[in-house]
Amino acid sequence: MNAYEMGLGVGILAGLAIYAVFTLAVRKKTGCAREYDERQIAAQGKAAKAAMFTHMAFAAACIAYYAGWEPTWLDVPTAMFFGLALSIGVYAVHCILHDAYFSISRSPRYTLWALAAVAVLQFLNVGRHVTAEGLLPDGRLDLIVGMSLACGALMLVVLATALIKLTMDRRGEREADGDGEEA
């Protein structure tokens, strides 16, 4: 195991530790785990089906693509990670649009800040790699750069969708309150 692999492993373990501490802090603060109603659970199930179908379709397209022609700029693991990020994005966007992403018992503020922080960190990592080695060193998209691009884009899409949905919901609530006062 070289130093890079050791650093990657330590980074993954550190990320899991931070996630565990964050999760425990949120559970202590709210007093319970996330709570979703039956409608939200049903919407999450539909979102999971859509995400799984998306991932299978993307994997089938990659197999067909790579069977006929081996592209020189993108390797299979990076392409499959793009598919994974795409399917997670389908799940998250579907849940957000059907009010099943955030639990009813807590504010989405922490989640939105976490999404923004992860997106910024991922794009900073891409920038660091691009300035050091270029976007396509050796004519191929590096797995680490590809993963950072996919994660950063995923976080931005989920964040943008959540912010748009929250804005639309607040506008709808204001309009409903305004209609009730006029009657």
Side-chain angles (χ1 to χ4, degrees):
M1 181 179 284
N2 63 25
Y4 175 77
E5 292 169 344
M6 183 73 82
L8 183 64
V10 169
I12 289 171
L13 289 176
L16 290 174
I18 291 170
Y19 175 77
V21 168
F22 180 75
T23 301
L24 288 173
V26 167
R27 285 187 182 178
K28 271 193 171 186
K29 184 176 180 180
T30 60
C32 61
R34 300 166 116 184
E35 294 179 9
Y36 297 96
D37 63 14
E38 294 82 17
R39 179 195 55 78
Q40 288 177 309
I41 293 170
Q44 289 172 350
K46 289 179 182 177
K49 287 178 190 177
M52 185 63 183
F53 176 76
T54 301
H55 190 67
M56 289 188 315
F58 187 87
C62 280
I63 290 169
Y65 182 69
Y66 280 93
W69 177 64
E70 176 70 25
T72 58
W73 64 275
L74 185 64
D75 59 354
V76 176
T78 307
M80 294 312 295
F81 192 84
F82 286 168
L84 183 63
L86 177 66
S87 62
I88 292 170
V90 166
Y91 174 81
V93 168
H94 188 280
C95 285
I96 290 169
L97 294 177
H98 292 92
D99 295 322
Y101 193 72
F102 303 110
S103 77
I104 6 177
S105 63
R106 63 184 191 129
S107 169
R109 181 178 59 228
Y110 297 113
T111 304
L112 296 176
W113 279 108
L115 289 170
V118 170
V120 166
L121 290 173
Q122 293 300 325
F123 287 122
L124 285 174
N125 188 38
V126 170
R128 184 179 64 83
H129 276 281
V130 168
T131 56
E133 304 169 7
L135 184 60
L136 299 172
D138 303 325
R140 208 166 184 76
L141 184 64
D142 184 45
L143 178 63
I144 300 301
V145 175
M147 289 171 61
S148 291
L149 280 172
C151 287
L154 170 65
M155 296 303 139
L156 279 181
V157 167
V158 172
L159 180 64
T161 305
L163 289 173
I164 290 169
K165 177 69 172 153
L166 289 170
T167 303
M168 289 171 50
D169 288 349
R170 285 186 184 134
R171 185 176 297 149
E173 288 173 5
R174 273 190 252 135
E175 288 175 2
D177 289 343
D179 291 343
E181 293 174 1
E182 293 174 6

